Amino acid sequence: MALPATFNDFLGNSLAVEHLRTAIAAGRLPHSLILSGPSGAGKYTLALMLTMAVECERQPRDLWSNGQSLASFCGVCTNCTRIASAANLEEQVEAAVAAREELRETDKKETRVLVQPHPDVLIIPPDPPQLLIKLGQVRTLIQRSHYLPSEAPRKIFILTAANFMKEAANSLLKVLEEPPDTVHIIILAENPGELLPTIRSRCGTVRLGALPVEEIEMLLADRRPEIQPAQRLLVARLAQGAAGKALGFDLTAYTAARADALIFIRNAAASSSGSADPDHTALFRMTETYRAGAEGQQKTAALLRSLSLLLEDLLLLSAGTPELVRNTDLRPELERLAAALSFRWIEQASRGLDQVQSGMRRNLLRNLSLDAFATQLAQS
Ligand SMILES: [Zn+2]
């Protein structure tokens, strides 16, 4: 994945971006900044672009007719190119995790996952397997923040998530109280509510909003022409206003997971209609294909996500707001199912599913028993 070539190529949120560029040009970028917004809204991409704008050796400016100066970046100097090399965060994190795996057992425990594209730019992702930002990572940030930048005007730290271990959050708070003049800390948060109020109050916050469905559809038509026009609306709805999510959306995988999720719901609808003994064969044949291990876990997570979206759609239909349904292509079947299932069942199933999902997030290594979950759904 490459970064947009200029700020004008960044999708959506032009006011927020303009505000940040003006702040950089005036030397007023907050030392501690929370960039919030839904997954796929471009928080990480924008954070890297802002970092380039601060660190660029050429410091280009765009001038507006009203005389306002907007910071920009050249994209070709050594500072820009090194920072841009971190554009594919997932790949970088995977490489750092793989490097840690090579270490001796004792060193492995002490080593935290960090991405450093430039001597003055440090990217701190949640540390696997718990996927939390840990004390060791924040300690590294604190230690390095005491040094002056060596090859760029500022030292910039990007924390790519807002979920911290408790001691890590407390430790970060201390830096945020008195950040050194040459340091900028950017925290990317899907939900800033997860951060300690004391952390939030010490940071400037800029919110990236979701894009309208029509804009995402246009974007898909332009960038992913292989997606059929009829499916564009579906992808745009499912991406919930996140351009990055829409562009990277794997429709085939989603449709497969959703087909399995539908088996759960059809089964429950057949049980509740009571007209005939429901046939559980399809359900058990499906759950059998979910195996233990990392791959099975991913597949299970995808199944639960699509099940959760289907249940939300059923709630929307029951609540009389069909225009908000996201699985637009399944509307006739969803209407039949919504009529067959009680509002109470849908609500309880959603709540049960939330619990299962948060349990899986807390304990990534636990394998979910789909059969047990299916039984629970049938009884609720
Ligand atoms: Zn540059």
Side-chain angles (χ1 to χ4, degrees):
M1 197 186 80
L3 290 179
T6 72
F7 278 110
N8 293 333
D9 301 314
F10 182 81
L11 301 163
N13 293 291
S14 50
L15 274 177
V17 174
E18 198 182 295
H19 168 74
L20 288 161
R21 294 177 66 193
T22 313
I24 294 175
R28 286 189 285 102
L29 183 70
H31 287 283
S32 317
L33 175 71
I34 296 170
L35 271 186
S36 78
S39 154
K43 298 185 293 296
Y44 181 68
T45 301
L46 183 60
L48 279 188
M49 294 169 82
L50 296 172
T51 302
M52 284 159 79
V54 172
E55 311 285 45
C56 178
E57 290 164 24
R58 299 182 186 168
Q59 294 285 308
R61 295 282 180 264
D62 290 337
L63 267 185
W64 276 35
S65 50
N66 63 4
Q68 198 179 22
S69 174
L70 302 175
S72 196
F73 52 85
C74 76
V76 293
C77 71
T78 55
N79 284 349
C80 280
T81 47
R82 279 184 287 179
I83 295 162
S85 74
N88 194 333
L89 180 64
E90 261 174 57
E91 219 168 75
Q92 302 283 326
V93 171
E94 268 171 36
V97 172
R100 177 165 71 179
E101 284 307 306
E102 297 297 311
L103 300 175
R104 286 179 311 167
E105 229 23 71
T106 44
D107 295 335
K108 226 185 261 184
K109 282 207 184 72
E110 300 296 313
T111 307
R112 293 283 157 251
V113 169
L114 298 164
V115 175
Q116 178 145 41
H118 182 285
D120 297 315
V121 178
L122 188 68
I123 295 158
I124 303 175
D127 196 276
Q130 301 91 335
L131 292 178
L132 292 168
I133 292 184
K134 295 187 183 153
L135 183 59
Q137 292 171 301
V138 175
R139 279 202 179 131
T140 308
L141 182 161
I142 295 174
Q143 193 192 8
R144 298 202 188 165
S145 69
H146 294 317
Y147 292 94
L148 288 174
S150 58
E151 295 180 34
R154 299 292 171 97
K155 269 198 156 2
I156 299 188
F157 299 91
I158 303 173
L159 298 132
T160 67
N163 31 337
F164 289 82
M165 282 183 80
K166 206 172 162 214
E167 316 84 76
N170 287 332
S171 180
L172 181 69
L173 195 54
K174 285 182 210 132
V175 207
L176 297 178
E177 274 165 7
E178 265 180 284
D181 273 348
T182 50
V183 167
H184 287 285
I185 296 169
I186 306 176
I187 305 172
L188 311 184
E190 255 177 67
N191 173 15
E194 278 177 293
L195 292 163
L196 292 176
T198 38
I199 288 189
R200 267 181 284 150
S201 69
R202 283 173 178 82
C203 297
T205 299
V206 172
R207 212 189 125 60
L208 299 186
L211 295 186
V213 169
E214 303 75 45
E215 251 180 72
I216 301 221
E217 278 185 282
M218 272 157 54
L219 183 68
L220 286 168
D222 185 41
R223 307 267 193 95
R224 289 193 61 188
E226 81 283 4
I227 296 182
Q228 299 303 308
Q231 294 176 324
R232 266 182 228 143
L233 175 64
L234 173 66
V235 174
R237 284 279 173 97
L238 292 169
Q240 291 182 270
K245 214 187 225 175
L247 290 176
F249 200 87
D250 184 344
L251 193 58
T252 317
Y254 175 76
T255 317
R258 190 180 65 175
D260 286 349
L262 267 176
I263 297 177
F264 273 109
I265 300 178
R266 285 193 197 121
N267 208 67
S271 300
S272 75
S273 74
S275 55
D277 214 17
D279 177 14
H280 295 295
T281 333
L283 181 66
F284 291 122
R285 203 182 306 132
M286 180 271 284
T287 56
E288 257 177 35
T289 66
Y290 286 75
R291 307 209 179 283
E295 203 185 308
Q297 225 169 62
Q298 259 181 19
K299 199 176 158 190
T300 308
L303 167 73
L304 296 180
R305 262 197 310 276
S306 56
L307 183 57
S308 151
L309 282 168
L310 288 172
L311 290 171
E312 276 177 39
D313 281 353
L314 291 176
L315 282 173
L316 291 168
L317 287 170
S318 308
T321 46
E323 68 281 4
L324 298 176
V325 164
R326 287 196 292 248
N327 290 284
T328 43
D329 56 331
L330 289 184
R331 175 98 176 258
E333 169 156 26
L334 290 174
E335 272 168 6
R336 269 196 306 278
L337 289 167
L341 292 159
S342 70
F343 188 76
R344 196 169 148 267
W345 182 89
I346 306 171
E347 238 189 336
Q348 282 184 352
S350 304
R351 223 174 291 138
L353 182 63
D354 279 349
Q355 278 169 10
V356 170
Q357 283 180 308
S358 72
M360 271 189 73
R361 271 195 296 274
R362 275 198 304 275
N363 186 356
L364 288 167
L365 301 175
R366 194 182 71 174
N367 274 304
L368 171 71
S369 156
L370 280 179
D371 288 340
F373 178 58
T375 317
Q376 188 196 328
L377 271 190
Q379 282 165 352
S380 60

